[in-house]
C-alpha cells in the first residue's frame, strides 16, 4: 500500500493519459480538425516530425501511435513538452459547460487509490467574463457532486490557476469570489488559487497587489479563504540562479502558502560551472537593491553582503539602459556566492515553515535534472518542509505512487521519512493552511 495518498501538486489536464485522450477524442476528433492541424504544425516545429492525428482513431495501432506522440517520458526542453501537451489542448478545449475532462480525471484519480487531491484548473484568458463565471460555477458544482459520490474515501478539491498578469488575474479572482458568494457550498471544494505558466518576465512583485488583496479578503472571511499556491523557481532561463532563488524567497515573503518546485532555491550552481550567467540590468539592479535592503537578516543567516562592492556596482550601472544585459561566469567565486546565498535563504524559509511542493519526475523530465542534481536532498538537509506531487502524471506516465518509489530508490527516503511527508501533506492541504477556525 502506498504511503503518500495526498496529491498536492497536479494539474487537471496534466492527469489525462493517452488512453483518456484516445477515449475522449474518439467521438470528437473529426470536429476538431483545424485544432489538430495546429497541434501537428506545432509538433513538427518542436520535434521535426509531423504527426497524423487521424491515424490515432483510424488505424488499428492508433492508441499506440497516440501514446508515442503524446507521452513525455524522456528529458527534454519545455518546448517539446508543450508540443506534446498541445494534443490535449487541441482535442479538449476548455468551454464554460463541458465537465467531461473533470469527471473523467477525478474518477480516475479516485480509482487510483488517492485519499485526497487538489486539481489545478486553468482559467483561459480568452474567455469572456460571463463565460469564465459559468466555467467556474460548473466546475465547482460538478466537483461537489463527485465529492459526494466519493465520500469518504476520496476528497477532491479545485485550485484555479489565475493569470500572473495583474489586470487579468484580478478579473479572474473577482469572478471566482462572486462564484463562491453565490453558492457558499462551493467553498468546500474550491480551496485555493495557483499561479503557473510562463515565469520569465513575471516577477513575484507583479502579482504582489493581487496577493495582498487575497490575503486581506481571507482575513475577513476565514470560511471561504483561499490558499495561495505559487509556481516559482521552476524555469529561469532569463536570469542567474541567484536572482531565481531570490524570487522563491520573495514569493513566500509576499504571502504564498506553498511554493511549487522552487528548484532555484536548492539547485547546486556547480551544474552551471563555466557557463555564462546572464540577466537584464534591471534584474541585476533589483537583486543588488534587495541585497542592500536584506543585509541585516542575511548576515544573521550567515551570508555577508559586501556593501562597498555593492554600492560601487550600483553606482556604475546607474543611468545605464535597464534592458541592457548583465553577464558573469559561473566560476569558483560566483558559484560559492550563489551557494551561500541559497543556504541563507533556505535557512530562513525553513525557520518560517515555508512549504515546498516537489515533483521529482517532472523536474527530471522538463527540468532535465537527475537524482544527483535535484535539490530535494538540499531541501531536506536544510530542514525545509517538502510535500510531493506528480504534477502532470498523465503525460509523464507516472503517479503519486510512482513518485514514492522514486523517492525510495533514487533519493533514499525511508518508510518513516515518507510517513512524515504524508503527515505534512495532510496538514498542508490548502483548506488547513487558511481556514484554521473552520476545520
Ligand atoms: Zn505544476
Amino acid at each position: 500500500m502506498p504511503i503518500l495518498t495526498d496529491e498536492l501538486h497536479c494539474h487537471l489536464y496534466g492527469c489525462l493519459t493517452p488512453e483518456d485522450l484516445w477515449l475522449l477524442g474518439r467521438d470528437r476528433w473529426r470536429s476538431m480538425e483545424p485544432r489538430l492541424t495546429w497541434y501537428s504544425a506545432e509538433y513538427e516545429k518542436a520535434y521535426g516530425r509531423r504527426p497524423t492525428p487521424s491515424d490515432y482513431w483510424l488505424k488499428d495501432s492508433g492508441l499506440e501511435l497516440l501514446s508515442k506522440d503524446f507521452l513525455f517520458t524522456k528529458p527534454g526542453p519545455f518546448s517539446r513538452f508543450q508540443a506534446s501537451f498541445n494534443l490535449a489542448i487541441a482535442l479538449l478545449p476548455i468551454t464554460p459547460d463541458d465537465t467531461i475532462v473533470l469527471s473523467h480525471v477525478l474518477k480516475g484519480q479516485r480509482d487510483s487509490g488517492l485519499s485526497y487531491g487538489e486539481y489545478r484548473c486553468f482559467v483561459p484568458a480568452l474567455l469572456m467574463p460571463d463565460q469564465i463565471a459559468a466555467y467556474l460555477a460548473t466546475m465547482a458544482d460538478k466537483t461537489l457532486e463527485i465529492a459526494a459520490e466519493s465520500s469518504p474515501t476520496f476528497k477532491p478539491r479545485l485550485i484555479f490557476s489565475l493569470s500572473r498578469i495583474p489586470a487579468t488575474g484580478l478579473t479572474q479572482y473577482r469572478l471566482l469570489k462572486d462564484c463562491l458568494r453565490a453558492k457558499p457550498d462551493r467553498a468546500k471544494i474550491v480551496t485555493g488559487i495557483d499561479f503557473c505558466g510562463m515565469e520569465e518576465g513575471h516577477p513575484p512583485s507583479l502579482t504582489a497587489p493581487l496577493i495582498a488583496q487575497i490575503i486581506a479578503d481571507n482575513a475577513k472571511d476565514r470560511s471561504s479563504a483561499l490558499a495561495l499556491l505559487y509556481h516559482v523557481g521552476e524555469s529561469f532561463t532569463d536570469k542567474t540562479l541567484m536572482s531565481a532563488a531570490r524570487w522563491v524567497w520573495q514569493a513566500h515573503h509576499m504571502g504564498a502558502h506553498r511554493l511549487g518546485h522552487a528548484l532555484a532555491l536548492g539547485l547546486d550552481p556547480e551544474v552551471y560551472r563555466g557557463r555564462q550567467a546572464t540577466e537584464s540590468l534591471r534584474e541585476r539592479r533589483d537583486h543588488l537593491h534587495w541585497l542592500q535592503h536584506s543585509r541585516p537578516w542575511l548576515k544573521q543567516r550567515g551570508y555577508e553582503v559586501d556593501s562597498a562592492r555593492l554600492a560601487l556596482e550600483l553606482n556604475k550601472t546607474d543611468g545605464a539602459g535597464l534592458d541592457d544585459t548583465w553577464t558573469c561566469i559561473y566560476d569558483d567565486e560566483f558559484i560559492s556566492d550563489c551557494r551561500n546565498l541559497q543556504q541563507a535563504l533556505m535557512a530562513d524559509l525553513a525557520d518560517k515553515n515555508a512549504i515546498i511542493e516537489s515533483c521529482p519526475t517532472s523536474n527530471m523530465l522538463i527540468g532535465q535534472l537527475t537524482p544527483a542534481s535535484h535539490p530535494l536532498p538540499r531541501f531536506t538537509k536544510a530542514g525545509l518542509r517538502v510535500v510531493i506531487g506528480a504534477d502532470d502524471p498523465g503525460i509523464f506516465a507516472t503517479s503519486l505512487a510512482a513518485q514514492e518509489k522514486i523517492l525510495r530508490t533514487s533519493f533514499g527516503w525511508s518508510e518513516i521519512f515518507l510517513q512524515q511527508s504524508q503527515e505534512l501533506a495532510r496538514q498542508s492541504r490548502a483548506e488547513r493552511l487558511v481556514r484554521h477556525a473552520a476545520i
Side-chain angles (χ1 to χ4, degrees):
M1 284 289 282
I3 294 172
L4 301 181
T5 57
D6 270 37
E7 171 58 91
L8 296 193
H9 187 124
C10 79
H11 300 265
L12 186 74
Y13 268 59
C15 292
L16 287 164
T17 63
E19 291 77 13
D20 293 336
L21 287 184
W22 187 85
L23 203 70
L24 299 177
R26 193 173 44 181
D27 298 326
R28 58 169 78 199
W29 69 270
R30 286 177 203 276
S31 60
M32 294 295 168
E33 275 194 288
R35 297 177 66 93
L36 289 169
T37 304
W38 162 79
Y39 149 72
S40 298
E42 292 297 309
Y43 194 98
E44 190 175 14
K45 280 185 214 162
Y47 286 94
R49 172 175 72 79
R50 196 176 179 95
T52 311
S54 55
D55 286 353
Y56 302 158
W57 293 279
L58 295 177
K59 288 198 171 170
D60 286 346
S61 58
L63 175 58
E64 212 176 296
L65 293 170
L66 186 155
S67 300
K68 189 168 155 277
D69 293 343
F70 179 65
L71 286 178
F72 190 82
T73 51
K74 289 194 191 91
F78 185 80
S79 54
R80 287 199 166 181
F81 167 78
Q82 186 65 52
S84 298
F85 189 67
N86 284 343
L87 178 59
I89 297 173
L91 264 185
L92 300 160
I94 293 175
T95 61
D97 48 6
D98 189 350
T99 55
I100 191 158
V101 172
L102 181 75
S103 306
H104 198 82
V105 165
L106 292 191
K107 287 173 187 169
Q109 292 278 297
R110 176 184 67 195
D111 298 344
S112 77
L114 289 177
S115 58
Y116 173 91
E118 292 176 5
Y119 299 91
R120 300 180 195 214
C121 306
F122 184 64
V123 181
L126 289 177
L127 293 183
M128 300 302 286
D130 59 329
Q131 292 178 310
I132 295 178
Y135 165 69
L136 298 171
T138 310
M139 294 289 279
D141 292 344
K142 186 70 194 176
T143 309
L144 272 168
E145 241 178 80
I146 298 170
E149 278 166 24
S150 313
S151 178
T153 45
F154 174 60
K155 293 188 171 75
R157 296 289 183 266
L158 294 187
I159 306 290
F160 284 105
S161 297
L162 307 188
S163 170
R164 294 187 200 261
I165 297 165
T168 314
L170 179 62
T171 304
Q172 293 171 338
Y173 170 65
R174 286 193 174 138
L175 290 164
L176 179 58
K177 288 301 273 186
D178 289 346
C179 165
L180 300 182
R181 259 191 301 272
K183 187 170 167 186
D185 254 13
R186 289 173 182 154
K188 290 182 185 160
I189 288 298
V190 180
T191 55
I193 281 173
D194 166 51
F195 290 89
C196 65
M198 188 74 160
E199 259 191 79
E200 284 85 349
H202 299 89
S205 56
L206 206 63
T207 44
L210 175 55
I211 288 199
Q213 183 177 342
I214 298 170
I215 290 171
D217 290 348
N218 281 352
K220 275 187 238 155
D221 178 10
R222 286 265 164 222
S223 66
S224 65
L226 297 165
L228 284 158
L229 315 182
Y230 208 97
H231 282 73
V232 65
E234 181 190 13
S235 179
F236 39 90
T237 52
D238 62 341
K239 55 192 164 295
T240 65
L241 192 55
M242 268 203 235
S243 288
R246 184 190 89 243
W247 280 31
V248 176
W249 184 89
Q250 286 176 320
H252 178 266
H253 186 65
M254 213 166 61
H257 296 102
R258 297 203 314 249
L259 304 163
H261 302 288
L263 299 176
L265 187 65
L267 180 65
D268 191 342
E270 188 61 41
V271 301
Y272 295 132
R273 178 175 286 279
R275 285 204 225 164
Q276 200 174 57
T278 304
E279 63 192 10
S280 69
L281 200 54
R282 181 190 317 275
E283 189 66 51
R284 179 62 182 171
R285 284 180 63 86
D286 279 354
H287 190 69
L288 297 177
H289 282 300
W290 175 82
L291 283 176
Q292 206 170 37
H293 187 74
S294 309
R295 192 170 158 244
W297 72 260
L298 281 172
K299 189 178 164 73
Q300 281 174 5
R301 298 287 183 201
Y303 182 83
E304 286 283 352
V305 175
D306 183 341
S307 298
R309 198 170 157 180
L310 195 144
L312 194 71
E313 192 181 337
L314 274 171
N315 229 342
K316 247 174 59 186
T317 54
D318 195 17
L322 290 178
D323 292 323
D324 287 356
T325 303
W326 178 87
T327 57
C328 171
I329 298 287
Y330 283 95
D331 56 11
D332 279 345
E333 190 190 350
F334 195 69
I335 286 174
S336 140
D337 195 18
C338 190
R339 203 180 276 142
N340 292 341
L341 180 64
Q342 287 174 319
Q343 217 54 45
L345 297 179
M346 286 193 284
D348 192 58
L349 289 172
D351 255 15
K352 290 174 177 157
N353 291 328
I355 303 162
I356 291 179
E357 301 157 353
S358 192
C359 308
T361 291
S362 171
N363 303 148
M364 288 192 266
L365 294 173
I366 302 180
Q368 301 179 60
L369 300 180
T370 63
S373 60
H374 196 284
L376 198 46
R378 265 184 102 193
F379 289 161
T380 49
K381 198 170 168 207
L384 280 159
R385 299 153 77 89
V386 181
V387 296
I388 303 299
D391 208 3
D392 299 303
I395 187 168
F396 295 147
T398 189
S399 61
L400 192 61
Q403 298 306 290
E404 184 174 321
K405 266 191 204 142
I406 290 170
L407 289 166
R408 283 179 195 269
T409 54
S410 302
F411 291 91
W413 279 32
S414 64
E415 186 110 350
I416 292 172
F417 217 89
L418 284 162
Q419 279 160 356
Q420 284 169 349
S421 181
Q422 167 58 22
E423 181 50 30
L424 175 64
R426 252 170 36 81
Q427 291 164 13
S428 308
R429 293 175 177 180
E431 61 226 52
R432 294 205 178 193
L433 296 176
V434 288
R435 299 183 188 170
H436 323 284
I439 299 292

